Amino acid sequence: MKSQSAAVGVTQALRDVKLSMTVAGRIDGVFVREGSRVRQGQLLMHLDRTLEELEVQRRRLLVEDNARLQELQQKEKILIEQVNALQPLLANGGVSRKQGEDEVMALGSVSAERKAIEAMKVREGVELALAQEAFERRHLRSPIDGVITKVALRVGESVGPHEAVITVVDISRVRFIGTVPARAGLSLKPGSTVKIELGQDTQSKTRSAKVVFVSPITDPSSGLIELIAEFDNADGSIRPGISGRLLF
């Protein structure tokens, strides 16, 4: 009977993410601790945000203040009606040409101001969006479903941009990374189904996995090639980091 080949390696979580803020500040709230299970998009912590919150409120008030625009729109409507009403009167001499020209100029002035304010409202909308983005950057949310494995800083401490503060790990899917002699690995292709034995012999666990990567390069010093296989771990029974063997 043909003996099985084996690749020795270790497991790791498919996603192990070190999270950081993109701006500096003082931590004002932390809502998780080591071991907390989190969902994608869940708020984990936020920095002090008073100034950013006030700026959002100020920008929103500017955007929502449409009193002058509504006044000009109403005035423009009235002037359009007046100019239209003057046309037949101009034709039969009921009003002077100067009066007609004055009404047209007044309409043009109001229309120009109305368009300027509409353009200003568009700019205010963009500035509100920028203020909201600056406010959101003071918050740290989980990009994945997973478990918090490290909270590096606490409330009151200062943090710099891109400084890792929280680590979240998704262990629902695990990858096995191992090496095998180049000749033995010739039979392995991405998509192949293999068996993985994990842990000590007396307490080993077996999982069926799918090969996702077989290195096209052989390490010249060892004659080994790297391969990666993945398997589901929805029940969390496999702790990433343990060693094992991939059998094929």
Side-chain angles (χ1 to χ4, degrees), residues 3 49-51 53 63 65 79 119 235:
S3 61
R49 54 190 180 170
T50 303
L51 293 178
E53 189 172 14
V63 169
D65 182 9
L79 286 171
D235 60 359

Side-chain angles (χ1 to χ4, degrees), residues 181-196:
R183 183 178 296 277
L186 292 176
S187 62
L188 284 173
K189 305 292 182 184
S192 302
T193 299
V194 294
K195 184 171 71 172
I196 297 178

